[in-house]
Amino acid sequence: MREITIFSGSAHPELASAICQHLEVPLAPTRIIRFTNDCLEVQLQANCRERDVFIVQPLVPPVQENLVELLLMLDAARGASAARITVVMPHYAYARSDKKDAPRISIAARLVADLMVTAGAGRVLAMTLHSPQVHGFFSVPVDHLHALMELAAHFRDSDHRAGLGNAVVISPDLGNAKQASRFARMLGLPVAAAAKERISDDKVVINSIIGEVRGKDVVVLDDEIARGTTILELLDRLTEYDVRSIRVACTHGLFTDGALARIGAREDVSEIVCTNTVPIPDAHRHPKLTVLSVARPLAEAVRRIHNGESVSVMFEGN
């Protein structure tokens, strides 16, 4: 069997190191140089010839920097005669640009997918893409993981079980309702959803809530929290239903523009939970925030891809 070699870009080396620890393989070194004209040069400092190469690089801010770095790493691995190159991309920032909802706009999710394949990607391992159709934008195989099991395990532990007897899971919009329903089944809870209308990037309106939430302990589930506009609008609507408590959970905790501080400042929010698909600087941490690791499922998926085993069986029965 071909040997496995794992590299990391500069976007999230801590997650790459944790994946390597679970796999019990070393993280191969990478050298990244920025020239005086602001161009980047990448050198993969480990043998790639006929190796099964995995490059760990979520597309997180600064997204354009990390994207170019990823493309250069792919090109370097391909030029070094790697047998197969897999992009391990826990967060795909451009996945939100997945439709043409206005004249003369780009569909960046497809374009960036094409760029990765052109640069040398032969396979992609992603987690909780913004919408299912993004999977189809790639012309190479995509293994699409989710973090619902890690989130559900957190809420099922002894500290939370007592608070879930009168709880309901709610999706902030109808687009995420399917995932919320799946999450609710894992917890044995009912599900509700908000009917959201997006006015602009920083303004949304929630017109109604579908499902029974009055007097309940609410667990809000979203795929990604960036500026927190949708979550804050939903929290305002939930106050009209006299809910007892609110917990907020998501996979990708970007928390841009002070979103974490604004959500954490709400007295009705008792906890905020996210995973480490994106790095969260210590300076941005909040006492209400819990960060769960997804290194283990990502490592298991990498192992299965390397061994030619099924990745989907990781989620059977869930």
Side-chain angles (χ1 to χ4, degrees):
M1 182 177 292
R2 299 186 184 99
E3 293 187 53
I4 186 172
T5 305
I6 301 178
F7 296 96
S8 173
S10 57
H12 202 348
E14 297 82 8
L15 178 58
S17 296
I19 292 171
C20 288
Q21 288 175 6
H22 285 291
L23 292 169
E24 297 182 341
V25 299
L27 179 62
T30 304
R31 187 184 69 167
I32 300 170
I33 299 173
R34 184 182 296 274
F35 294 108
T36 55
N37 66 353
D38 205 35
C39 290
L40 296 177
E41 179 184 84
V42 168
Q43 182 186 31
L44 304 179
Q45 297 184 305
N47 185 19
C48 297
R49 186 174 296 274
E50 297 304 316
R51 301 287 184 97
D52 198 3
V53 172
F54 293 81
I55 299 175
V56 182
Q57 181 83 326
L59 293 188
V60 297
V63 174
Q64 280 58 245
E65 292 274 326
N66 290 323
L67 172 59
V68 172
E69 188 178 292
L70 172 60
L71 296 175
L72 294 175
M73 293 178 75
L74 288 167
D75 181 69
R78 182 180 58 180
S81 301
R84 180 177 62 181
I85 309 169
T86 301
V87 175
V88 181
M89 188 172 54
H91 177 61
Y92 184 26
Y94 277 110
R96 297 180 67 174
S97 178
D98 61 347
K99 55 188 176 296
K100 186 176 180 181
D101 53 2
R104 298 173 297 282
I105 63 170
S106 59
I107 304 177
R110 185 190 62 198
L111 172 62
V112 175
D114 289 342
L115 289 173
M116 282 189 260
V117 174
T118 300
R123 193 177 196 98
V124 174
L125 174 60
M127 178 166 279
T128 313
L129 293 170
H130 182 66
S131 55
Q133 63 263 29
V134 174
H135 187 142
F137 290 168
F138 290 87
S139 58
V140 295
V142 176
D143 292 295
H144 188 195
L145 309 185
H146 63 71
L148 296 184
M149 290 192 293
E150 285 68 33
L151 292 169
H154 173 78
F155 286 104
R156 279 196 300 258
D157 70 21
S158 57
D159 293 335
H160 293 84
R161 191 182 301 276
L164 293 178
N166 188 43
V168 59
V169 174
I170 182 169
S171 170
D173 57 66
L174 297 176
N176 197 53
K178 186 174 182 179
Q179 288 288 71
S181 297
R182 193 173 185 179
F183 184 62
R185 286 196 300 272
M186 291 180 178
L187 296 174
L189 299 176
V191 66
K196 181 185 80 172
E197 179 185 1
R198 179 167 291 281
I199 308 301
S200 64
D201 183 52
D202 60 352
K203 182 174 177 58
V204 300
V205 174
I206 292 178
N207 299 308
S208 62
I209 293 178
I210 304 166
E212 183 55 52
V213 297
R214 188 171 298 279
K216 300 279 189 177
D217 296 296
V218 174
V219 180
V220 179
L221 178 72
D222 206 353
D223 62 330
E224 171 186 325
I225 298 178
R227 303 180 74 173
T229 306
T230 298
I231 295 296
L232 290 167
E233 172 71 8
L234 177 59
L235 296 180
D236 288 340
R237 297 288 75 75
L238 288 174
T239 59
E240 302 170 4
Y241 290 84
D242 299 320
V243 298
R244 296 202 311 180
S245 67
I246 301 174
R247 298 178 179 90
V248 177
C250 70
T251 299
H252 309 300
L254 293 168
F255 301 126
T256 59
D257 295 335
L260 182 58
R262 291 195 298 274
I263 297 170
R266 299 283 301 235
E267 293 183 1
D268 48 355
V269 174
S270 59
E271 185 180 23
I272 305 166
V273 184
C274 71
T275 75
N276 64 340
T277 55
V278 303
I280 301 177
D282 290 337
H284 296 172
R285 297 287 179 120
H286 191 278
K288 293 182 180 180
L289 178 67
T290 300
V291 181
L292 309 177
S293 177
V294 291
R296 185 180 296 278
L298 286 170
E300 176 62 14
V302 167
R303 186 192 69 79
R304 288 178 174 274
I305 291 170
H306 177 63
N307 293 337
E309 301 173 7
S310 171
V311 174
S312 61
V313 299
M314 295 171 57
F315 305 105
E316 286 183 356
N318 293 288

